Amino acid sequence: YSYREGLQSILQEEPDALFIGEELSDRESILMVLKAVEMGSLVFCFLNNSDSRKAIKKILNFFPKAKRQEITRRLCAALKAIIAQKLIVKQDKKGQILATEIMLNTMEITELIKTDRTGEIYSFMSELRVKGMKTMNDSIYELVKEKLISQDTAKEAGFITPSVIES
């Protein structure tokens, strides 16, 4: 079986949950994942991106502009959460530690996606930490605050500005 044939075969079985270990790297794979979710499967999949906003944009950019409204609608209905992860060198240089971003698909997030305002997702997530959302900046800030990574490493990673670290 090819990857695509295997995924099509699995969908015929109507699984309750599906974990796709290969990166979603083309339009057909994304359409099959959307179909699986629409059929009632819980789907976990992989997309190589550094944060939620970029993941959403990457998915939508696989499709021509003429199809984007339909795909956006389907994505918003299917999406439950995006978890972004980044390994960062520890302050003691003995290994790495995980920084995590968590975006939950709330009504507000759905509205930002539908109205092509994904650039506002980060500030919205920062405001809603109470609801379980956390930006990559929040995660890296916590690691700096706990002295698990250095300020220099955080700055080099490009996530936290010096003014945020110092506050």
Side-chain angles (χ1 to χ4, degrees):
Y1 284 112
S2 71
Y3 168 73
R4 199 167 286 117
E5 290 170 330
L7 191 51
Q8 287 173 333
S9 177
I10 290 169
L11 291 180
Q12 292 173 358
E13 300 295 322
E14 298 181 16
D16 293 330
L18 184 59
F19 180 84
I20 300 173
E22 187 170 311
E23 180 180 12
L24 297 180
S25 58
D26 59 55
R27 189 179 311 159
E28 291 78 23
S29 298
I30 292 169
L31 288 171
M32 283 190 261
V33 165
L34 290 173
K35 180 180 178 183
V37 172
E38 291 163 353
M39 291 170 46
S41 297
L42 174 62
V43 180
F44 296 90
C45 52
F46 171 71
L47 193 64
N48 192 9
N49 256 294
S50 59
D51 66 42
S52 305
R53 298 169 303 177
K54 290 178 183 169
I56 292 165
K57 283 289 190 189
K58 185 172 186 176
I59 290 169
L60 295 176
N61 284 336
F62 276 112
F63 298 91
K65 290 190 182 210
K67 292 249 182 202
R68 288 239 180 101
Q69 187 173 3
E70 173 198 350
I71 296 302
T72 299
R73 179 189 53 75
R74 291 177 69 189
L75 177 63
C76 287
L79 185 64
K80 300 297 179 217
I82 295 177
I83 300 172
Q85 301 175 328
K86 181 169 182 63
L87 287 173
I88 300 173
V89 176
K90 288 182 174 183
Q91 185 160 320
D92 63 8
K93 306 286 188 218
K94 295 180 181 176
Q96 298 176 322
I97 192 160
L98 184 65
T100 308
E101 174 174 296
I102 301 170
M103 184 203 81
L104 305 174
N105 191 15
T106 63
M107 289 180 357
E108 296 87 355
I109 293 287
T110 293
E111 186 62 26
L112 291 173
I113 296 168
K114 282 183 177 178
T115 56
D116 196 26
R117 294 174 20 229
T118 55
E120 297 175 36
I121 288 175
Y122 228 55
S123 60
F124 181 78
M125 287 171 58
S126 292
E127 295 169 13
L128 287 181
R129 281 182 228 143
V130 171
K131 290 190 177 184
M133 290 197 219
K134 177 169 64 170
T135 67
M136 191 61 74
N137 276 343
D138 295 334
S139 183
I140 292 175
Y141 177 75
E142 289 169 15
L143 295 174
V144 170
K145 193 173 170 183
E146 294 170 15
K147 300 195 184 315
L148 295 169
I149 64 172
S150 70
Q151 292 183 15
D152 289 338
T153 300
K155 289 176 195 176
E156 288 169 15
F159 288 105
I160 301 179
T161 62
S163 61
V164 174
I165 292 173
E166 293 164 6
S167 61

